Amino acid sequence: MIVVNTEYIPQKRIVEVRGLVQGNTVRAKHVGRDIAAGLKNVFGGELKGYTELLVESRREAMQRMLDQAEELGANAVVNVRFATSSIAANAAELYCYGTAVVVADA
Amino acid sequence: MKEKYLSTRHEPALGARDATSSGDTSRERRAEPEPPSIKTTASETERLRDSIAAEPALSDHRNPGLYAEWLAQRRARTTVAGNLAVTFLVALASGPMAVAGALLAGRQTWWGTVYLVLFGPVIEELLKQAGMIYLLERKPYRLFAWWQFVLAAVISGLGFAAVENLIYLYVYVSPQTFERWHELARFRWTWCTLLHVSCAVVASLGLARVWKQQLRDGLPAELNHGFTWFLAAIIIHGTYNLSMLMLQLWHP
């Protein structure tokens, strides 16, 4: 599966558009990590627990989007975008979407 | 404003390529290696986390076994004695830490009853396992058997009960007679201690489950897999607190 955030893929041509695919997630770390991040906030620096949370959320949302693309029989997703929203405190909300397409060599 | 915040010299995205591709000597100077203003040294686990091997979008580079390989390599470099010593130390620290956490969370507030029955058990049961959660998330290669979690739970449960008993007997409670104090002491050192150890053991079974899942999937630990066991420990602890509260009301 080719995944790009551009509209076209070099040396490939889009032969069919299968539709909009998307994946989202809302994740949180356990309260221990929140307490640790709260303490770290006092002294500054990277809040590693939350970095980890974002990485996990991004990958989960991406995986869900790719599962949809596979379900549609696509072999690429173009124009991929990420969006965030705010639903709960200390939680990461990630939304990932793109256009599932079938590409062939140009 | 400090130069380091304005200069492009510290921009990771504007590396040496800019300088070498032009004849501009000032730009070459700009590209001279200098320590970045933001530290970027990553630990082993952070490098694993950020590796492209785990990116779903880069299917050609995916390597689902990377974490499991790392875990096996690191585990081979540890000894059973060392692992048991680490387990013992983190478990020993968890008990008193749970008491401190419970005290800081505000036992003496207006919502004391709600705290005793609901929030207290949540905080205490989670903090009793804090050391093992740390190992599970940060140093999983130190874990080699499920009974490590149970052992740690017994130690942290005993530690927690000991500190809490001492606080109850010498700070909180001032019974009128020595007999009453002795009765309370006996109760605390038997039933209360047993409760704290039992609840910690129940919660530890959840952590053991998380650990087994980690081994099976070859992925970093996901604490939510042990939620049911934590919930069971919290319910047992909360029910005990509620019954003690009722008993106090009926037989002051």
Side-chain angles (χ1 to χ4, degrees):
Chain A
M1 182 81 69
I2 302 169
V3 184
V4 292
N5 61 0
T6 51
E7 286 177 39
Y8 301 102
I9 303 167
Q11 294 164 4
K12 301 274 182 196
R13 67 189 168 86
I14 294 170
V15 291
E16 199 181 334
V17 173
R18 290 288 165 99
L20 181 75
V21 282
Q22 47 213 311
N24 56 11
T25 186
V26 182
R27 287 180 71 96
K29 280 286 178 190
H30 55 81
V31 69
R33 286 295 187 91
D34 288 334
I35 294 168
L39 282 174
K40 192 77 193 286
N41 217 351
V42 175
F43 300 99
E46 184 183 5
L47 305 179
K48 291 184 177 176
Y50 289 155
T51 303
E52 209 174 286
L53 174 63
L54 265 181
V55 170
E56 287 164 0
S57 306
R58 180 172 52 74
R59 283 180 181 157
E60 192 163 70
M62 172 68 79
Q63 188 57 59
R64 286 175 182 170
M65 185 193 74
L66 293 179
D67 290 346
Q68 282 197 348
E70 250 173 51
E71 208 178 318
L72 289 173
N75 63 359
V77 184
V78 295
N79 224 1
V80 172
R81 298 287 181 270
F82 284 99
T84 60
S85 57
S86 184
I87 296 170
N90 298 333
E93 297 96 32
L94 252 291
Y95 173 53
C96 177
Y97 60 98
T99 306
V101 294
V102 176
V103 293
D105 290 335
Chain B
M1 182 85 70
K2 279 185 179 175
E3 182 268 346
K4 70 174 178 178
Y5 297 118
L6 301 171
S7 166
T8 56
R9 236 186 313 188
H10 303 282
E11 292 294 340
L14 301 173
R17 196 173 53 173
D18 279 358
T20 51
S21 61
S22 82
D24 185 353
T25 51
S26 65
R27 298 196 82 189
E28 271 173 39
R29 228 186 1 258
R30 188 185 303 167
E32 278 169 14
E34 268 200 29
S37 51
I38 295 171
K39 214 173 139 192
T40 53
T41 45
S43 68
E44 264 181 51
T45 44
E46 284 163 14
R47 277 200 297 275
L48 268 175
R49 179 197 68 202
D50 296 335
S51 164
I52 56 167
E55 287 296 342
L58 300 170
S59 50
D60 291 349
H61 301 275
R62 285 205 85 177
N63 179 6
L66 192 70
Y67 185 84
E69 281 168 28
W70 169 79
L71 200 57
Q73 278 173 11
R74 285 303 307 259
R75 190 174 288 134
R77 279 155 43 192
T78 63
T79 60
V80 172
N83 294 341
L84 283 177
V86 170
T87 306
F88 184 76
L89 283 175
V90 296
L92 210 60
S94 299
M97 198 164 77
V99 179
L103 291 174
L104 287 173
R107 190 172 287 244
Q108 306 296 326
T109 53
W110 61 268
W111 46 281
T113 310
V114 181
Y115 173 85
L116 265 175
V117 177
L118 192 67
F119 296 108
V122 171
I123 295 165
E124 289 173 14
E125 291 312 323
L126 194 75
L127 285 177
K128 272 192 241 172
Q129 306 295 334
M132 291 309 276
I133 292 173
Y134 171 78
L135 285 190
L136 201 53
E137 290 190 335
R138 295 281 169 213
K139 299 184 187 304
Y141 48 85
R142 289 285 184 190
L143 303 164
F144 62 93
W146 66 270
W147 52 261
Q148 259 180 291
F149 294 97
V150 178
L151 177 73
V154 171
I155 295 167
S156 72
L158 283 174
F160 177 87
V163 178
E164 198 188 53
N165 290 348
L166 291 174
I167 292 174
Y168 264 92
L169 292 171
Y170 293 101
V171 182
Y172 280 172
V173 182
S174 52
Q176 294 91 351
T177 62
F178 178 74
E179 282 73 29
R180 284 290 300 268
W181 184 88
H182 195 257
E183 195 184 333
L184 180 73
R186 205 171 50 221
F187 176 75
R188 287 218 63 94
W189 286 106
T190 51
W191 292 109
C192 292
T193 306
L194 185 68
L195 169 97
H196 286 306
V197 173
S198 307
C199 287
V201 168
V202 170
S204 78
L205 295 176
L207 283 189
R209 193 175 168 204
V210 172
W211 175 68
K212 280 186 178 173
Q213 185 103 19
Q214 182 185 47
L215 287 187
R216 197 166 48 237
D217 298 347
L219 290 170
E222 290 250 18
L223 211 58
N224 54 330
H225 291 136
F227 177 72
T228 320
W229 293 94
F230 267 92
L231 191 67
I234 288 162
I235 289 171
I236 296 169
H237 195 151
T239 308
Y240 164 84
N241 283 0
L242 184 67
S243 56
M244 284 299 112
L245 210 67
M246 296 292 188
L247 213 64
Q248 258 184 351
L249 287 175
W250 288 325
H251 303 284

PDB file of all heavy atoms in Angstrom, chain B residues 92-127:
ATOM      1  N   LEU B  92       9.326  -2.460  46.903  1.00  0.00           N
ATOM      2  CA  LEU B  92       9.545  -1.853  48.214  1.00  0.00           C
ATOM      3  C   LEU B  92       9.198  -0.363  48.185  1.00  0.00           C
ATOM      4  O   LEU B  92       8.650   0.187  49.139  1.00  0.00           O
ATOM      5  CB  LEU B  92      11.013  -2.042  48.599  1.00  0.00           C
ATOM      6  CG  LEU B  92      11.342  -2.152  50.084  1.00  0.00           C
ATOM      7  CD1 LEU B  92      10.619  -3.333  50.706  1.00  0.00           C
ATOM      8  CD2 LEU B  92      12.842  -2.305  50.277  1.00  0.00           C
ATOM      9  N   ALA B  93       9.509   0.285  47.071  1.00  0.00           N
ATOM     10  CA  ALA B  93       9.245   1.725  46.955  1.00  0.00           C
ATOM     11  C   ALA B  93       7.757   2.003  46.739  1.00  0.00           C
ATOM     12  O   ALA B  93       7.251   3.054  47.128  1.00  0.00           O
ATOM     13  CB  ALA B  93      10.059   2.301  45.801  1.00  0.00           C
ATOM     14  N   SER B  94       7.055   1.040  46.125  1.00  0.00           N
ATOM     15  CA  SER B  94       5.654   1.277  45.744  1.00  0.00           C
ATOM     16  C   SER B  94       4.719   1.420  46.940  1.00  0.00           C
ATOM     17  O   SER B  94       3.795   2.231  46.904  1.00  0.00           O
ATOM     18  CB  SER B  94       5.149   0.153  44.848  1.00  0.00           C
ATOM     19  OG  SER B  94       5.916   0.098  43.680  1.00  0.00           O
ATOM     20  N   GLY B  95       4.936   0.618  47.986  1.00  0.00           N
ATOM     21  CA  GLY B  95       4.052   0.643  49.151  1.00  0.00           C
ATOM     22  C   GLY B  95       3.964   2.016  49.797  1.00  0.00           C
ATOM     23  O   GLY B  95       2.886   2.633  49.816  1.00  0.00           O
ATOM     24  N   PRO B  96       5.101   2.549  50.286  1.00  0.00           N
ATOM     25  CA  PRO B  96       5.061   3.880  50.904  1.00  0.00           C
ATOM     26  C   PRO B  96       4.605   4.961  49.919  1.00  0.00           C
ATOM     27  O   PRO B  96       3.941   5.921  50.305  1.00  0.00           O
ATOM     28  CB  PRO B  96       6.525   4.117  51.314  1.00  0.00           C
ATOM     29  CG  PRO B  96       7.113   2.765  51.433  1.00  0.00           C
ATOM     30  CD  PRO B  96       6.418   1.918  50.427  1.00  0.00           C
ATOM     31  N   MET B  97       4.941   4.777  48.636  1.00  0.00           N
ATOM     32  CA  MET B  97       4.522   5.762  47.627  1.00  0.00           C
ATOM     33  C   MET B  97       2.991   5.799  47.519  1.00  0.00           C
ATOM     34  O   MET B  97       2.398   6.864  47.376  1.00  0.00           O
ATOM     35  CB  MET B  97       5.121   5.386  46.270  1.00  0.00           C
ATOM     36  CG  MET B  97       5.132   6.519  45.280  1.00  0.00           C
ATOM     37  SD  MET B  97       6.230   6.138  43.940  1.00  0.00           S
ATOM     38  CE  MET B  97       5.246   5.001  43.011  1.00  0.00           C
ATOM     39  N   ALA B  98       2.381   4.626  47.635  1.00  0.00           N
ATOM     40  CA  ALA B  98       0.916   4.560  47.568  1.00  0.00           C
ATOM     41  C   ALA B  98       0.298   5.282  48.763  1.00  0.00           C
ATOM     42  O   ALA B  98      -0.718   5.966  48.624  1.00  0.00           O
ATOM     43  CB  ALA B  98       0.467   3.105  47.528  1.00  0.00           C
ATOM     44  N   VAL B  99       0.931   5.152  49.939  1.00  0.00           N
ATOM     45  CA  VAL B  99       0.414   5.854  51.120  1.00  0.00           C
ATOM     46  C   VAL B  99       0.537   7.363  50.905  1.00  0.00           C
ATOM     47  O   VAL B  99      -0.414   8.118  51.156  1.00  0.00           O
ATOM     48  CB  VAL B  99       1.192   5.440  52.399  1.00  0.00           C
ATOM     49  CG1 VAL B  99       0.658   6.200  53.601  1.00  0.00           C
ATOM     50  CG2 VAL B  99       1.053   3.952  52.637  1.00  0.00           C
ATOM     51  N   ALA B 100       1.708   7.792  50.411  1.00  0.00           N
ATOM     52  CA  ALA B 100       1.924   9.220  50.155  1.00  0.00           C
ATOM     53  C   ALA B 100       0.908   9.743  49.137  1.00  0.00           C
ATOM     54  O   ALA B 100       0.319  10.815  49.339  1.00  0.00           O
ATOM     55  CB  ALA B 100       3.350   9.447  49.649  1.00  0.00           C
ATOM     56  N   GLY B 101       0.680   8.964  48.095  1.00  0.00           N
ATOM     57  CA  GLY B 101      -0.287   9.364  47.064  1.00  0.00           C
ATOM     58  C   GLY B 101      -1.677   9.492  47.640  1.00  0.00           C
ATOM     59  O   GLY B 101      -2.403  10.448  47.362  1.00  0.00           O
ATOM     60  N   ALA B 102      -2.044   8.533  48.496  1.00  0.00           N
ATOM     61  CA  ALA B 102      -3.375   8.559  49.112  1.00  0.00           C
ATOM     62  C   ALA B 102      -3.525   9.773  50.019  1.00  0.00           C
ATOM     63  O   ALA B 102      -4.574  10.416  50.041  1.00  0.00           O
ATOM     64  CB  ALA B 102      -3.585   7.273  49.899  1.00  0.00           C
ATOM     65  N   LEU B 103      -2.454  10.090  50.766  1.00  0.00           N
ATOM     66  CA  LEU B 103      -2.522  11.242  51.675  1.00  0.00           C
ATOM     67  C   LEU B 103      -2.602  12.547  50.894  1.00  0.00           C
ATOM     68  O   LEU B 103      -3.370  13.442  51.224  1.00  0.00           O
ATOM     69  CB  LEU B 103      -1.299  11.266  52.595  1.00  0.00           C
ATOM     70  CG  LEU B 103      -1.240  10.152  53.644  1.00  0.00           C
ATOM     71  CD1 LEU B 103       0.074  10.204  54.396  1.00  0.00           C
ATOM     72  CD2 LEU B 103      -2.404  10.281  54.623  1.00  0.00           C
ATOM     73  N   LEU B 104      -1.799  12.637  49.829  1.00  0.00           N
ATOM     74  CA  LEU B 104      -1.781  13.861  49.018  1.00  0.00           C
ATOM     75  C   LEU B 104      -3.102  14.075  48.285  1.00  0.00           C
ATOM     76  O   LEU B 104      -3.493  15.201  47.997  1.00  0.00           O
ATOM     77  CB  LEU B 104      -0.638  13.804  47.995  1.00  0.00           C
ATOM     78  CG  LEU B 104       0.754  13.994  48.563  1.00  0.00           C
ATOM     79  CD1 LEU B 104       1.811  13.752  47.501  1.00  0.00           C
ATOM     80  CD2 LEU B 104       0.919  15.396  49.136  1.00  0.00           C
ATOM     81  N   ALA B 105      -3.787  12.966  47.979  1.00  0.00           N
ATOM     82  CA  ALA B 105      -5.044  13.081  47.237  1.00  0.00           C
ATOM     83  C   ALA B 105      -6.156  13.694  48.080  1.00  0.00           C
ATOM     84  O   ALA B 105      -7.225  14.006  47.559  1.00  0.00           O
ATOM     85  CB  ALA B 105      -5.462  11.721  46.712  1.00  0.00           C
ATOM     86  N   GLY B 106      -5.944  13.821  49.391  1.00  0.00           N
ATOM     87  CA  GLY B 106      -6.896  14.570  50.202  1.00  0.00           C
ATOM     88  C   GLY B 106      -7.923  13.749  50.922  1.00  0.00           C
ATOM     89  O   GLY B 106      -9.099  13.795  50.621  1.00  0.00           O
ATOM     90  N   ARG B 107      -7.441  12.956  51.876  1.00  0.00           N
ATOM     91  CA  ARG B 107      -8.353  12.134  52.661  1.00  0.00           C
ATOM     92  C   ARG B 107      -9.275  12.995  53.540  1.00  0.00           C
ATOM     93  O   ARG B 107     -10.392  12.623  53.823  1.00  0.00           O
ATOM     94  CB  ARG B 107      -7.504  11.219  53.542  1.00  0.00           C
ATOM     95  CG  ARG B 107      -8.272  10.138  54.235  1.00  0.00           C
ATOM     96  CD  ARG B 107      -7.292   9.219  54.899  1.00  0.00           C
ATOM     97  NE  ARG B 107      -6.607   8.412  53.909  1.00  0.00           N
ATOM     98  CZ  ARG B 107      -6.704   7.093  53.833  1.00  0.00           C
ATOM     99  NH1 ARG B 107      -7.446   6.462  54.696  1.00  0.00           N
ATOM    100  NH2 ARG B 107      -6.067   6.407  52.926  1.00  0.00           N
ATOM    101  N   GLN B 108      -8.810  14.140  53.950  1.00  0.00           N
ATOM    102  CA  GLN B 108      -9.562  14.949  54.903  1.00  0.00           C
ATOM    103  C   GLN B 108     -10.473  15.977  54.234  1.00  0.00           C
ATOM    104  O   GLN B 108     -10.742  17.015  54.772  1.00  0.00           O
ATOM    105  CB  GLN B 108      -8.579  15.685  55.829  1.00  0.00           C
ATOM    106  CG  GLN B 108      -7.581  14.784  56.528  1.00  0.00           C
ATOM    107  CD  GLN B 108      -8.242  13.802  57.483  1.00  0.00           C
ATOM    108  OE1 GLN B 108      -9.247  14.121  58.105  1.00  0.00           O
ATOM    109  NE2 GLN B 108      -7.717  12.597  57.567  1.00  0.00           N
ATOM    110  N   THR B 109     -10.925  15.716  53.074  1.00  0.00           N
ATOM    111  CA  THR B 109     -11.755  16.700  52.378  1.00  0.00           C
ATOM    112  C   THR B 109     -13.235  16.451  52.639  1.00  0.00           C
ATOM    113  O   THR B 109     -13.604  15.436  53.231  1.00  0.00           O
ATOM    114  CB  THR B 109     -11.500  16.628  50.863  1.00  0.00           C
ATOM    115  OG1 THR B 109     -11.670  15.287  50.461  1.00  0.00           O
ATOM    116  CG2 THR B 109     -10.114  17.114  50.511  1.00  0.00           C
ATOM    117  N   TRP B 110     -14.066  17.362  52.184  1.00  0.00           N
ATOM    118  CA  TRP B 110     -15.512  17.256  52.428  1.00  0.00           C
ATOM    119  C   TRP B 110     -16.117  16.031  51.752  1.00  0.00           C
ATOM    120  O   TRP B 110     -17.121  15.516  52.193  1.00  0.00           O
ATOM    121  CB  TRP B 110     -16.223  18.536  51.973  1.00  0.00           C
ATOM    122  CG  TRP B 110     -16.066  18.808  50.493  1.00  0.00           C
ATOM    123  CD1 TRP B 110     -15.097  19.558  49.909  1.00  0.00           C
ATOM    124  CD2 TRP B 110     -16.887  18.324  49.430  1.00  0.00           C
ATOM    125  NE1 TRP B 110     -15.237  19.561  48.559  1.00  0.00           N
ATOM    126  CE2 TRP B 110     -16.341  18.828  48.232  1.00  0.00           C
ATOM    127  CE3 TRP B 110     -18.028  17.523  49.348  1.00  0.00           C
ATOM    128  CZ2 TRP B 110     -16.888  18.544  46.979  1.00  0.00           C
ATOM    129  CZ3 TRP B 110     -18.571  17.247  48.105  1.00  0.00           C
ATOM    130  CH2 TRP B 110     -18.003  17.761  46.948  1.00  0.00           C
ATOM    131  N   TRP B 111     -15.479  15.559  50.694  1.00  0.00           N
ATOM    132  CA  TRP B 111     -16.021  14.381  50.027  1.00  0.00           C
ATOM    133  C   TRP B 111     -15.333  13.100  50.544  1.00  0.00           C
ATOM    134  O   TRP B 111     -15.141  12.143  49.823  1.00  0.00           O
ATOM    135  CB  TRP B 111     -15.915  14.500  48.510  1.00  0.00           C
ATOM    136  CG  TRP B 111     -14.579  14.979  48.006  1.00  0.00           C
ATOM    137  CD1 TRP B 111     -14.135  16.260  47.991  1.00  0.00           C
ATOM    138  CD2 TRP B 111     -13.514  14.187  47.456  1.00  0.00           C
ATOM    139  NE1 TRP B 111     -12.860  16.309  47.482  1.00  0.00           N
ATOM    140  CE2 TRP B 111     -12.464  15.056  47.134  1.00  0.00           C
ATOM    141  CE3 TRP B 111     -13.364  12.832  47.209  1.00  0.00           C
ATOM    142  CZ2 TRP B 111     -11.273  14.615  46.588  1.00  0.00           C
ATOM    143  CZ3 TRP B 111     -12.167  12.394  46.654  1.00  0.00           C
ATOM    144  CH2 TRP B 111     -11.142  13.276  46.350  1.00  0.00           C
ATOM    145  N   GLY B 112     -15.001  13.128  51.854  1.00  0.00           N
ATOM    146  CA  GLY B 112     -14.265  12.028  52.479  1.00  0.00           C
ATOM    147  C   GLY B 112     -14.859  10.644  52.230  1.00  0.00           C
ATOM    148  O   GLY B 112     -14.132   9.696  51.966  1.00  0.00           O
ATOM    149  N   THR B 113     -16.190  10.518  52.320  1.00  0.00           N
ATOM    150  CA  THR B 113     -16.823   9.212  52.150  1.00  0.00           C
ATOM    151  C   THR B 113     -16.643   8.693  50.723  1.00  0.00           C
ATOM    152  O   THR B 113     -16.289   7.538  50.506  1.00  0.00           O
ATOM    153  CB  THR B 113     -18.331   9.308  52.472  1.00  0.00           C
ATOM    154  OG1 THR B 113     -18.463   9.970  53.728  1.00  0.00           O
ATOM    155  CG2 THR B 113     -18.967   7.942  52.541  1.00  0.00           C
ATOM    156  N   VAL B 114     -16.881   9.598  49.756  1.00  0.00           N
ATOM    157  CA  VAL B 114     -16.708   9.221  48.340  1.00  0.00           C
ATOM    158  C   VAL B 114     -15.251   8.832  48.104  1.00  0.00           C
ATOM    159  O   VAL B 114     -14.954   7.853  47.424  1.00  0.00           O
ATOM    160  CB  VAL B 114     -17.110  10.394  47.405  1.00  0.00           C
ATOM    161  CG1 VAL B 114     -16.949   9.991  45.948  1.00  0.00           C
ATOM    162  CG2 VAL B 114     -18.522  10.849  47.682  1.00  0.00           C
ATOM    163  N   TYR B 115     -14.358   9.586  48.721  1.00  0.00           N
ATOM    164  CA  TYR B 115     -12.932   9.295  48.558  1.00  0.00           C
ATOM    165  C   TYR B 115     -12.614   7.898  49.098  1.00  0.00           C
ATOM    166  O   TYR B 115     -11.957   7.095  48.421  1.00  0.00           O
ATOM    167  CB  TYR B 115     -12.083  10.349  49.283  1.00  0.00           C
ATOM    168  CG  TYR B 115     -10.630   9.978  49.259  1.00  0.00           C
ATOM    169  CD1 TYR B 115      -9.829  10.303  48.172  1.00  0.00           C
ATOM    170  CD2 TYR B 115     -10.067   9.229  50.289  1.00  0.00           C
ATOM    171  CE1 TYR B 115      -8.509   9.906  48.119  1.00  0.00           C
ATOM    172  CE2 TYR B 115      -8.753   8.823  50.238  1.00  0.00           C
ATOM    173  CZ  TYR B 115      -7.974   9.169  49.160  1.00  0.00           C
ATOM    174  OH  TYR B 115      -6.682   8.759  49.101  1.00  0.00           O
ATOM    175  N   LEU B 116     -13.093   7.634  50.318  1.00  0.00           N
ATOM    176  CA  LEU B 116     -12.787   6.350  50.971  1.00  0.00           C
ATOM    177  C   LEU B 116     -13.278   5.150  50.164  1.00  0.00           C
ATOM    178  O   LEU B 116     -12.619   4.133  50.072  1.00  0.00           O
ATOM    179  CB  LEU B 116     -13.450   6.320  52.346  1.00  0.00           C
ATOM    180  CG  LEU B 116     -12.576   6.737  53.521  1.00  0.00           C
ATOM    181  CD1 LEU B 116     -13.395   6.789  54.795  1.00  0.00           C
ATOM    182  CD2 LEU B 116     -11.404   5.784  53.704  1.00  0.00           C
ATOM    183  N   VAL B 117     -14.457   5.301  49.575  1.00  0.00           N
ATOM    184  CA  VAL B 117     -15.077   4.161  48.903  1.00  0.00           C
ATOM    185  C   VAL B 117     -14.650   4.047  47.438  1.00  0.00           C
ATOM    186  O   VAL B 117     -14.514   2.958  46.906  1.00  0.00           O
ATOM    187  CB  VAL B 117     -16.616   4.265  49.014  1.00  0.00           C
ATOM    188  CG1 VAL B 117     -17.304   3.131  48.269  1.00  0.00           C
ATOM    189  CG2 VAL B 117     -17.031   4.260  50.475  1.00  0.00           C
ATOM    190  N   LEU B 118     -14.397   5.188  46.807  1.00  0.00           N
ATOM    191  CA  LEU B 118     -14.134   5.140  45.363  1.00  0.00           C
ATOM    192  C   LEU B 118     -12.713   5.574  44.975  1.00  0.00           C
ATOM    193  O   LEU B 118     -11.923   4.767  44.504  1.00  0.00           O
ATOM    194  CB  LEU B 118     -15.181   6.016  44.652  1.00  0.00           C
ATOM    195  CG  LEU B 118     -15.231   5.867  43.136  1.00  0.00           C
ATOM    196  CD1 LEU B 118     -15.722   4.479  42.758  1.00  0.00           C
ATOM    197  CD2 LEU B 118     -16.161   6.924  42.536  1.00  0.00           C
ATOM    198  N   PHE B 119     -12.386   6.856  45.215  1.00  0.00           N
ATOM    199  CA  PHE B 119     -11.110   7.375  44.708  1.00  0.00           C
ATOM    200  C   PHE B 119      -9.904   6.809  45.452  1.00  0.00           C
ATOM    201  O   PHE B 119      -8.867   6.550  44.847  1.00  0.00           O
ATOM    202  CB  PHE B 119     -11.100   8.905  44.762  1.00  0.00           C
ATOM    203  CG  PHE B 119     -12.132   9.510  43.865  1.00  0.00           C
ATOM    204  CD1 PHE B 119     -13.260  10.118  44.383  1.00  0.00           C
ATOM    205  CD2 PHE B 119     -12.002   9.443  42.483  1.00  0.00           C
ATOM    206  CE1 PHE B 119     -14.231  10.661  43.561  1.00  0.00           C
ATOM    207  CE2 PHE B 119     -12.968   9.978  41.654  1.00  0.00           C
ATOM    208  CZ  PHE B 119     -14.077  10.586  42.192  1.00  0.00           C
ATOM    209  N   GLY B 120     -10.056   6.628  46.765  1.00  0.00           N
ATOM    210  CA  GLY B 120      -8.959   6.074  47.570  1.00  0.00           C
ATOM    211  C   GLY B 120      -8.495   4.732  47.029  1.00  0.00           C
ATOM    212  O   GLY B 120      -7.310   4.571  46.699  1.00  0.00           O
ATOM    213  N   PRO B 121      -9.408   3.767  46.898  1.00  0.00           N
ATOM    214  CA  PRO B 121      -8.990   2.464  46.355  1.00  0.00           C
ATOM    215  C   PRO B 121      -8.362   2.560  44.963  1.00  0.00           C
ATOM    216  O   PRO B 121      -7.403   1.844  44.671  1.00  0.00           O
ATOM    217  CB  PRO B 121     -10.302   1.676  46.306  1.00  0.00           C
ATOM    218  CG  PRO B 121     -11.131   2.264  47.390  1.00  0.00           C
ATOM    219  CD  PRO B 121     -10.788   3.723  47.416  1.00  0.00           C
ATOM    220  N   VAL B 122      -8.886   3.475  44.114  1.00  0.00           N
ATOM    221  CA  VAL B 122      -8.314   3.617  42.757  1.00  0.00           C
ATOM    222  C   VAL B 122      -6.853   4.055  42.860  1.00  0.00           C
ATOM    223  O   VAL B 122      -5.956   3.427  42.276  1.00  0.00           O
ATOM    224  CB  VAL B 122      -9.123   4.644  41.924  1.00  0.00           C
ATOM    225  CG1 VAL B 122      -8.401   4.943  40.611  1.00  0.00           C
ATOM    226  CG2 VAL B 122     -10.531   4.129  41.642  1.00  0.00           C
ATOM    227  N   ILE B 123      -6.619   5.125  43.633  1.00  0.00           N
ATOM    228  CA  ILE B 123      -5.256   5.663  43.759  1.00  0.00           C
ATOM    229  C   ILE B 123      -4.332   4.644  44.422  1.00  0.00           C
ATOM    230  O   ILE B 123      -3.221   4.384  43.952  1.00  0.00           O
ATOM    231  CB  ILE B 123      -5.273   6.994  44.548  1.00  0.00           C
ATOM    232  CG1 ILE B 123      -6.034   8.055  43.740  1.00  0.00           C
ATOM    233  CG2 ILE B 123      -3.867   7.480  44.870  1.00  0.00           C
ATOM    234  CD1 ILE B 123      -6.423   9.267  44.527  1.00  0.00           C
ATOM    235  N   GLU B 124      -4.821   4.057  45.521  1.00  0.00           N
ATOM    236  CA  GLU B 124      -3.963   3.135  46.273  1.00  0.00           C
ATOM    237  C   GLU B 124      -3.609   1.885  45.468  1.00  0.00           C
ATOM    238  O   GLU B 124      -2.455   1.469  45.434  1.00  0.00           O
ATOM    239  CB  GLU B 124      -4.657   2.749  47.585  1.00  0.00           C
ATOM    240  CG  GLU B 124      -4.690   3.914  48.578  1.00  0.00           C
ATOM    241  CD  GLU B 124      -5.511   3.643  49.818  1.00  0.00           C
ATOM    242  OE1 GLU B 124      -5.855   2.478  50.072  1.00  0.00           O
ATOM    243  OE2 GLU B 124      -5.815   4.612  50.538  1.00  0.00           O
ATOM    244  N   GLU B 125      -4.601   1.314  44.806  1.00  0.00           N
ATOM    245  CA  GLU B 125      -4.323   0.086  44.049  1.00  0.00           C
ATOM    246  C   GLU B 125      -3.402   0.350  42.856  1.00  0.00           C
ATOM    247  O   GLU B 125      -2.561  -0.480  42.519  1.00  0.00           O
ATOM    248  CB  GLU B 125      -5.628  -0.577  43.578  1.00  0.00           C
ATOM    249  CG  GLU B 125      -6.462  -1.159  44.697  1.00  0.00           C
ATOM    250  CD  GLU B 125      -5.679  -2.028  45.673  1.00  0.00           C
ATOM    251  OE1 GLU B 125      -4.775  -2.757  45.249  1.00  0.00           O
ATOM    252  OE2 GLU B 125      -5.966  -1.945  46.876  1.00  0.00           O
ATOM    253  N   LEU B 126      -3.572   1.507  42.250  1.00  0.00           N
ATOM    254  CA  LEU B 126      -2.709   1.840  41.112  1.00  0.00           C
ATOM    255  C   LEU B 126      -1.277   2.113  41.572  1.00  0.00           C
ATOM    256  O   LEU B 126      -0.313   1.622  40.980  1.00  0.00           O
ATOM    257  CB  LEU B 126      -3.270   3.056  40.360  1.00  0.00           C
ATOM    258  CG  LEU B 126      -2.668   3.274  38.992  1.00  0.00           C
ATOM    259  CD1 LEU B 126      -3.210   2.257  38.003  1.00  0.00           C
ATOM    260  CD2 LEU B 126      -2.959   4.670  38.480  1.00  0.00           C
ATOM    261  N   LEU B 127      -1.155   2.879  42.656  1.00  0.00           N
ATOM    262  CA  LEU B 127       0.195   3.226  43.120  1.00  0.00           C
ATOM    263  C   LEU B 127       0.932   2.035  43.732  1.00  0.00           C
ATOM    264  O   LEU B 127       2.154   1.977  43.677  1.00  0.00           O
ATOM    265  CB  LEU B 127       0.137   4.392  44.106  1.00  0.00           C
ATOM    266  CG  LEU B 127      -0.129   5.757  43.459  1.00  0.00           C
ATOM    267  CD1 LEU B 127      -0.249   6.838  44.521  1.00  0.00           C
ATOM    268  CD2 LEU B 127       0.963   6.140  42.471  1.00  0.00           C
TER     269      LEU B 127
END
